[in-house]
Amino acid sequence: MTSLPTETPSTGVAQHISRLAAFAVSAEARPARLGCLGAALLTIGGLGAGSTRLHDPLLESLHLSWLRFGHGLVLSSILLWAGVAVMLIAWLWLGRRVIDRSATEYTMVATTGFWLAPLLLSVPLFSRDTYSYLAQGALLRDGFDPYVVGPVENPNSLLDNVSPIWTTTTAPYGPAFILVAKFVTILVGDHVVAGTMLLRLCMLPGLLLLIWAAPRVARHVGANGAASLWICVLNPLVIVHLMGGVHNEMLMVGLMMAAIALTFAGRPVIGVSLIAIAVAVKATAGLALPFLVWVWMRQLRDKRDMPAVRAFAAATAASVLIFVAVFAVLSWLAGVGLGWLTALAGSVKIINWLTVPTAAANLINAIGGLIFPVNFYAVLEVSRIIGILTIVIALPLLWWRYRHTDRDALTGITLAMVVVVLFVPAALPWYYTWPLAVAAALIQTRPAIAAVAGFSTWIMVMWKPDGAHGMYSWAHVLLTTACAVVAWYSLYRAPEPTPEARNQPSVS
C-alpha cells in the first residue's frame, strides 16, 4: 500500500519562496519592482528630509549629517519626492490592472512586501508621532501615568524629538498601545533609532491582519479581493504614512478589519474581542462595534431561530460583557485607568483644512475678513461645536439605517467613520485610512477607484516629509491638485475588464 505524499513545513516554505522568486522576475511584478525603487528613494531621501531627529549622532558617525542642511537637504528632498512620485506611479499602474481585473490577490500581497521592505529601514516619514509614542511609553516604564502627565515630566533623550505641541499633552491612546510603547522602551531604553525600528515592527501585525481580512470581507459581500487590497493595503496612505510614518492606526485598522471578517464568518465572540483590543489601541475602532451587534443579532435570529428582540438583547449584552472584560484586563495589565479618554480633546491643537469645521472657519476668516473684522478662534470654536453636534446626531441615525444586512453594516461603519473624520475638530492624513479600509469592499467601480486614486494622491502630495502641510501655500495647493487630477484621470479612463476577465477569480 503506497502512502500519500505529504507536504512538510520546509517544503511549504520552499514552495512559497520559489513562487515569490518566479513572481519577482515576471512581467506581472513590474509595478512591484518600480514601487520598490520608489520606496528605496524615499528611505534614502528621508535620511535628510524626513522627520529626522533634532540631533542625530548616527548620521554624524556615518558622515552623512550634511544631508540635512543646505545643498544636502535639497538633494535629500529631491530623492524623497522622487520616491513619492515613483510609488504613486507604480500604485496607479497597478490600479489599471485592478480595473481590468488582470491583477490577483497574490500580486497585491507580494507587491506589498516589495514596497514595504526598504521602508522598514527608513526614518519616520511625514510625521514625528513615533517620538511621542516612545516618550509616552517611557512615562509608563518609569512609573508615571501617561494619562495624567505629558512627556515633559520625564526628561530624557526621547523628549528632545517630541514636537513641542505634544510635550505637555497626555496620551490619547488606549492601554494596549501604551503597553506596546512601554515594551519597546524597556527593550531599547531611550535609544531613538532602535525604538523607531522596533515600534515599526510592532505595527506589522496590523498590516498582516489587514492583508488577511480585507479580501475576506470583500468576498463576503461579493466584491473583488485584489481591488480591496489595492485600495486599503497598497494605498500610499497606508504604506508610506502608516508604516513609513509609524502610526498606531496600522494596529487599530488591522484589528478592526479582522474583527469584521471574523464576525461575518460567524465568530462574533472573537470579533468583539478584537474590537475591544482595537479600541484599546485607539478609540475610533469603537465605531464598528454597534454595527457588528446587528450582524450578531441576525446570526442568532437565523441560526437559532430567536425572535429579533431577544436576539438583539443577547447580542448586545454579550458584546458589552466581552468588551468590558477584555478592556478591563488590558487596563489592568497596563496599570492605568480611563484617563486617556479625556486626552482625546488634545486634537483641538491641530489646525488644518482636513475637516469641515476647521476649513469653514478658515474660509470665513479669509473671505469675511475682507469685509469685516473676524475673530478666527471664536469662529473656529463655534464651527467645531457644530461639527461635534453633527457627529452626535448622525451616528445613531446611521446605526439605525444600516442594520439589515452585512453589506449594510460595512456601509454604516464606513459612513460613521467618514462623518467622524470630516467633522471632528481636527484630522490628519492617515485618519482617512480608517474609512478606506472598511469601504474597500464597497467602492470598486471604475469611477470610485479613480476617485480613491485622486483623493489619496492629493493627501499624499499635500503633506510635507517633516510632518507639516502645504495648505497655506497656493503654489503647493495647485501643484497637489494637478497631481490629483492626473491620478484620477489615469484611472477614470482605464479600460474596463472584458467579460472573460470579469469571471476570473482574484485569489490565484
Side-chain angles (χ1 to χ4, degrees):
M1 190 173 183
T2 306
S3 60
L4 293 174
T6 58
E7 184 181 281
T8 65
S10 59
T11 304
V13 171
Q15 287 179 342
H16 286 302
I17 293 175
S18 175
R19 185 180 185 186
L20 184 61
F23 170 82
V25 297
S26 68
E28 186 182 6
R30 287 173 182 170
R33 295 193 294 266
L34 182 63
C36 184
L37 172 63
L41 292 173
L42 263 171
T43 299
I44 297 169
L47 290 173
S51 301
T52 54
R53 301 163 65 187
L54 299 181
H55 173 66
D56 200 328
L58 177 61
L59 283 183
E60 292 172 5
S61 65
L62 296 174
H63 305 290
L64 294 174
S65 57
W66 59 274
L67 289 171
R68 302 177 60 191
F69 309 101
H71 295 302
L73 178 58
V74 172
L75 175 61
S76 297
S77 299
I78 291 172
L79 289 174
L80 189 145
W81 281 113
V84 170
V86 169
M87 288 199 75
L88 283 170
I89 291 169
W91 183 57
L92 295 172
W93 186 1
L94 202 54
R96 294 177 70 87
R97 294 186 178 181
V98 166
I99 290 174
D100 68 18
R101 294 294 181 94
S102 62
T104 66
E105 289 181 22
Y106 182 81
T107 299
M108 300 300 169
V109 174
T111 300
T112 302
F114 274 76
W115 293 6
L116 182 62
L119 292 175
L120 292 178
L121 301 175
S122 76
V123 304
L125 299 171
F126 296 92
S127 170
R128 304 186 67 84
D129 279 7
T130 184
Y131 304 127
S132 296
Y133 297 159
L134 293 171
Q136 289 159 357
L139 280 173
L140 191 61
R141 178 198 66 190
D142 295 338
F144 296 91
D145 187 340
Y147 300 153
V148 176
V149 300
V152 72
E153 298 295 328
N154 187 29
N156 53 47
S157 59
L158 296 173
L159 182 62
D160 297 340
N161 299 286
V162 178
S163 297
I165 193 175
W166 302 125
T167 55
T168 58
T169 305
T170 54
Y173 312 116
F177 183 71
I178 293 297
L179 271 174
V180 170
K182 175 186 177 182
F183 166 75
V184 170
T185 57
I186 287 174
L187 287 182
V188 303
D190 295 337
H191 196 287
V192 179
V193 174
T196 298
M197 297 299 180
L198 183 55
L199 197 57
R200 182 180 278 125
L201 292 179
C202 291
M203 301 301 117
L204 274 178
L207 181 64
L208 294 175
L209 284 173
L210 185 59
I211 290 172
W212 176 85
R216 283 169 171 78
V217 171
R219 291 195 295 270
H220 183 79
V221 296
N224 182 276
S228 183
L229 289 168
W230 181 84
I231 292 169
C232 73
V233 172
L234 286 162
N235 192 309
L237 293 181
V238 174
I239 296 294
V240 178
H241 274 291
L242 293 194
M243 290 303 301
V246 197
H247 287 290
N248 58 12
E249 267 86 358
M250 190 73 263
L251 278 177
M252 184 207 79
V253 169
L255 287 164
M256 179 183 67
M257 287 301 294
I260 293 171
L262 287 165
T263 303
F264 283 173
R267 305 176 74 177
V269 172
I270 302 177
V272 173
S273 300
L274 289 181
I275 283 289
I277 299 173
V279 173
V281 172
K282 197 159 187 174
T284 318
L287 293 170
L289 182 58
F291 294 93
L292 295 186
V293 169
W294 289 128
V295 177
W296 196 350
M297 181 210 76
R298 288 193 300 274
Q299 291 174 357
L300 290 173
R301 184 193 62 195
D302 297 340
K303 294 179 180 179
R304 301 193 181 184
D305 201 25
M306 280 189 184
V309 174
R310 184 181 169 192
F312 176 77
T316 302
S319 297
V320 170
L321 287 173
I322 294 168
F323 184 92
V324 170
V326 171
F327 204 92
V329 168
L330 291 171
S331 296
W332 173 75
L333 289 172
V336 296
L338 298 175
W340 62 288
L341 294 174
T342 61
L344 295 175
S347 63
V348 297
K349 297 180 180 181
I350 303 169
I351 299 177
N352 58 42
W353 291 69
L354 285 185
T355 67
V356 172
T358 311
N362 275 297
L363 287 173
I364 292 171
N365 181 59
I367 299 173
L370 299 174
I371 305 171
F372 49 81
V374 175
N375 185 331
F376 171 73
Y377 290 100
V379 174
L380 181 63
E381 184 176 356
V382 172
S383 66
R384 283 176 166 178
I385 290 173
I386 294 172
I388 294 299
L389 290 175
T390 301
I391 293 172
V392 170
I393 293 170
L395 292 186
L397 294 177
L398 290 171
W399 176 71
W400 182 252
R401 165 64 180 81
Y402 293 99
R403 67 187 190 278
H404 300 293
T405 66
D406 290 354
R407 189 179 185 87
D408 272 357
L410 275 185
T411 305
I413 297 169
T414 299
L415 293 177
M417 290 191 167
V418 168
V419 167
V420 168
V421 172
L422 288 179
F423 289 96
V424 288
L428 292 164
W430 44 92
Y431 286 17
Y432 288 90
T433 61
W434 312 341
L436 275 176
V438 187
L442 305 172
I443 50 174
Q444 297 193 356
T445 62
R446 183 175 63 177
I449 288 175
V452 168
F455 174 77
S456 299
T457 299
W458 193 90
I459 294 287
M460 192 71 235
V461 179
M462 180 58 69
W463 230 251
K464 297 180 181 180
D466 62 355
H469 62 78
M471 295 182 193
Y472 295 108
S473 166
W474 279 111
H476 197 134
V477 170
L478 291 174
L479 175 63
T480 299
T481 303
C483 292
V485 169
V486 170
W488 166 80
Y489 187 79
S490 68
L491 295 191
Y492 186 76
R493 302 299 296 176
E496 293 275 17
T498 62
E500 295 79 11
R502 290 180 188 273
N503 298 323
Q504 290 294 320
S506 67
V507 295
S508 59

